[in-house]
Structures are given as structure tokens and as C-alpha cells.
Amino acid sequence: MYYFDNAATTAQKPDCVAKAVYQVLSSGTVGNPSRGAHGYALKAYGLILQAKDDVKALFHCGPEYDVAFTHNSTAALNMVLKGLIRPGDGVLTTSWEHNAVLRPLYQLEKEGVSLAFIGSDQPSGALQYDTMEALLTPQTKWFVCNHASNVTGNVLDLPRIKAFCRRHHLGLIVDVSQTAGAIDVDLSDGIVTAACFTGHKSLYGPGGTGGIVIRRDAVVTPYITGGDGVHSFEREQPGAIPGVFEAGTANVAGIAGLDAGIRYILDKGVAAAAAHQQELARIFVPAVQAISGIRLYGDFSGPRVGVYSLNVGEAESAVVSDVLWQTYHMATRPAYHCAPLIHRSLGTAVQGTVRFSFSQFTTKEDVRAAVQALQDISEL
């Protein structure tokens, strides 16, 4: 079988991830962090702190940042967007966004937040950066963006966005779900207000893990309130970073597994991960573009992650994906990928697309097999 659905979740994980989870669950020595001063609680707390330090190393964070762990990037984005953006604020965002960004923003719109969207070109999906200035209003306070499209694999020009936000004094919230662990994400300049990540994609962690890297000086309204193990007599959730995001018991075993995945990436080097994807792209892209009747969407002139969307003639994407699974045992993702606006930009709102997405465990032989399968299907 061939697994080409890594943009959804990585099925193949490094052995160290499972071992780290098992160690926590089987040792009988790990308790509840910040819920006691005994050895069991302190060991759990130490595991969490080590994982936070490794996240900071991955993102090149300075002392102005801290880290909070969540269940995934969807939870992280809801906490950040609803915790930072106030009624009356204007938000500039993009047509690349996943519903994990769009739906919270649409909720905030009902509460008096105004939204403006940067469009994309067809068929490249390239972002229309030249329209950003015109979309600004006196109310614009935030820029919310996906670092890489989970449909086209295009990577945002983050340095350009940072400069734009600094010039116009905008807060910057970045969804790095598709880029964390796949390409370098550098927060060392302190411009990004918050970056939200998930553990189960290119960080190779367990499902149900993720987090927030956020400036310590951010003023956050808590989205989830409850016990923090310390300020028990206060009626409201303490607002300090990162505790404002950390009500309730942490997923210590999952975070230990996530940390093992992050260390795996740090040991190999993010540059090596990106280079591997470039090798696969050099095989996949020109070969697929040469197949008659196949449309491959995306901008292939600049940086990208290992995500590729295509269509075979006018065939429904779900039918093609089903043939790939039933005949060739290849797992792909059809349809809309929870990103409706980019599909409208690409003209695929009816047909959808078939998405191939590769990981560090995808081989050149896997990619050549995918190309051959697409060649066979196109000839039908």
C-alpha cells in the first residue's frame, strides 16, 4: 500500500514517537503537571517544559515567546483568534485559509469583526499580494494567514507579510499546520504575534496534539476556563501567558510523543526534510505535467511543501481517488480539503481535486508508482 495523505495526518511515524508515549503510560511514574509538588507531578511538569523548549528551538523563538499545548491546531486557532480579536477590529486574511481559520473568523464577524480576503490566481493559486494595501481600512488590526496552502502546497511569502504587518502596525497570526517540521519557520524577529501548529502532520506526533507559540505580552481573553492548579480562589481564569490557554489536565503522553517527533526533526534538520521534498517534487511534478488530460494546480516557481492537487479530465475527484485506492492501493484525499475559498479561486468548487501529499517516509519509488498509476488512469 502507498500512503499519500500526509497533509491530513502522517500515518508513518518514527519509532521514537510510539516509544515515548508508551514510556509515559507504562512507567507508572508520571503524574499530573502543576497539580502537586510530589515526584510524579514534577516529572510530568519536566516533560512538558522540555517539550516547550524543543518547540522554541524548532521555531527559533526568542525570550519574548512562550508555548502552550493544545489538542490540535484547530483548538489552537480558536483559542488565539477568539482570545485576541475584539469586536470592531478588522482582519485581513487570505483565500488559502482552512476552515479552522475561516469558521472562527465567520463567528467573530457576527460579533462585529470585519473581514477582507486576499484573492488567488487561477490555476496557480498564487496569492495576490499587490491587493493588500487596497484592502486595508482604519479598522484593520490583524493579519491572519496560512503559511502554506493544504490544497496547492504553495508557501506564503512570510517575510513580505511580516514587513507589511510591521509597516502598518498589525498583529500577525500564522497557521503553520502544513509547514511546521517541513520547512523552516523563523520567529526570531518577534513580529509574529502567534503561530498555531498541529502535532500529527510533519512533526510526526500523535493525533490530538498541537499548540500555540505566542508573544508573552499578548493580551488574551480566555476561551476555555477551568482549573489551573494554582489560583484556585480566583473567579476568573488567570490571563498570563501561557496559562491562559492551559485550563485542565495536559495530554502528557501525547506531548511526550510530540516532543519525540520534534526531536527527530531537529536531529535530522528541517533543511534535510525540505530537501527530501524537493527531490520528490523533481520526479513528480514534471512527470505529472507531461500526462495528457491532467491538470496540476499550484505555483511551482517558488518554495512549497509536498502537497499536490490535480484533476484527471472532467472525472470527479472522488472517483479518481477511489480508483487509486481500489486498484492501486494508494491513499489520497479527494474533494475540498476543508478549504473552500481556494477551490473557488482554482475553479474546482464542483469537481474538487485529488490531493497527493508526501512525507519524509515517502520514497522515490513510491512517487514513480503514483505517476504510473495516474498515467494508467488518464489513458482510460
Side-chain angles (χ1 to χ4, degrees):
M1 294 192 297
Y2 300 89
Y3 188 76
F4 298 131
D5 197 18
N6 293 281
T9 194
T10 47
Q12 290 84 32
K13 315 281 188 183
D15 291 341
C16 60
V17 172
K19 290 178 180 176
V21 174
Y22 178 77
Q23 179 63 30
V24 169
L25 295 177
S26 65
S27 67
T29 62
V30 179
N32 198 329
S34 300
R35 301 303 193 272
H38 50 73
Y40 294 85
L42 293 176
K43 185 168 184 179
Y45 188 60
L47 288 171
I48 300 294
L49 289 182
Q50 180 60 60
K52 290 185 176 185
D53 285 343
D54 290 334
V55 170
K56 292 175 186 177
L58 179 71
F59 294 118
H60 310 285
C61 293
E64 65 270 39
Y65 286 102
D66 212 326
V67 176
F69 289 113
T70 64
H71 296 304
N72 45 49
S73 54
T74 298
L77 287 160
N78 271 268
M79 290 180 180
V80 167
L81 295 173
K82 295 172 182 176
L84 289 175
I85 300 171
R86 311 282 185 255
D89 288 353
V91 174
L92 184 56
T93 187
T94 84
S95 56
W96 290 8
E97 304 311 309
H98 189 279
N99 276 334
V101 166
L102 292 176
R103 285 175 174 168
L105 287 181
Y106 292 148
Q107 284 185 299
L108 289 168
E109 187 177 34
K110 293 179 180 179
E111 299 174 7
V113 172
S114 59
L115 306 179
F117 293 88
I118 302 167
S120 305
D121 293 333
Q122 183 182 5
S124 70
L127 207 61
Q128 296 168 349
Y129 295 102
D130 292 342
T131 67
M132 294 192 301
E133 296 282 350
L135 292 170
L136 284 172
T137 72
Q139 288 72 43
T140 307
K141 298 293 190 296
W142 297 96
F143 197 117
V144 181
C145 54
N146 194 331
H147 193 195
S149 169
N150 72 319
V151 176
T152 64
N154 295 347
V155 174
L156 187 87
D157 188 346
L158 190 55
R160 181 172 183 171
I161 299 302
K162 286 181 178 180
F164 177 83
C165 289
R166 182 164 49 188
R167 187 165 62 250
H168 295 287
H169 308 289
L170 305 180
L172 177 55
I173 299 168
V174 186
D175 175 4
V176 297
S177 298
Q178 293 296 333
T179 53
I183 63 173
D184 196 38
V185 181
D186 189 349
L187 305 183
S188 62
D189 55 20
I191 297 172
V192 172
T193 307
C196 299
F197 65 93
T198 196
H200 64 101
K201 300 183 191 291
S202 293
L203 295 179
Y204 301 103
T209 60
I212 304 162
V213 182
I214 188 166
R215 288 187 58 93
R216 295 176 187 270
D217 57 2
V219 179
V220 180
T221 301
Y223 177 63
I224 297 176
T225 60
D228 68 340
V230 182
H231 305 88
S232 295
F233 284 91
E234 294 186 17
R235 294 169 66 97
E236 296 183 357
Q237 190 75 20
I241 304 292
V244 68
F245 300 111
E246 297 182 328
T249 297
N251 177 10
V252 180
I255 292 168
L258 171 59
D259 189 32
I262 292 173
R263 290 193 187 191
Y264 174 83
I265 292 294
L266 290 172
D267 289 344
K268 286 175 61 71
V270 177
H276 179 70
Q277 292 294 345
Q278 291 167 9
E279 288 181 1
L280 300 182
R282 282 192 288 268
I283 298 170
F284 188 75
V285 173
V288 171
Q289 288 176 329
I291 300 174
S292 177
I294 289 187
R295 297 189 303 280
L296 184 62
Y297 304 92
D299 180 1
F300 302 98
S301 63
R304 54 181 301 105
V305 293
V307 175
Y308 306 91
S309 281
L310 56 86
N311 275 313
V312 182
E314 300 304 317
E316 292 183 22
S317 58
V319 171
V320 175
S321 187
D322 190 53
V323 171
L324 284 165
W325 177 246
Q326 297 294 338
T327 304
Y328 299 95
H329 309 295
M330 293 179 178
T332 59
R333 173 79 181 274
Y336 308 116
H337 317 98
C338 302
L341 300 186
I342 185 63
H343 278 284
R344 289 175 184 160
S345 296
L346 296 174
T348 54
V350 175
Q351 190 178 14
T353 60
V354 181
R355 186 182 70 186
F356 288 76
S357 48
F358 306 145
S359 82
Q360 296 310 295
F361 297 96
T362 306
T363 67
K364 295 177 182 179
E365 291 72 25
D366 295 337
V367 173
R368 292 188 181 100
V371 171
Q372 185 60 57
L374 288 168
Q375 179 71 57
D376 294 346
I377 293 170
S378 73
E379 292 174 358
L380 297 177

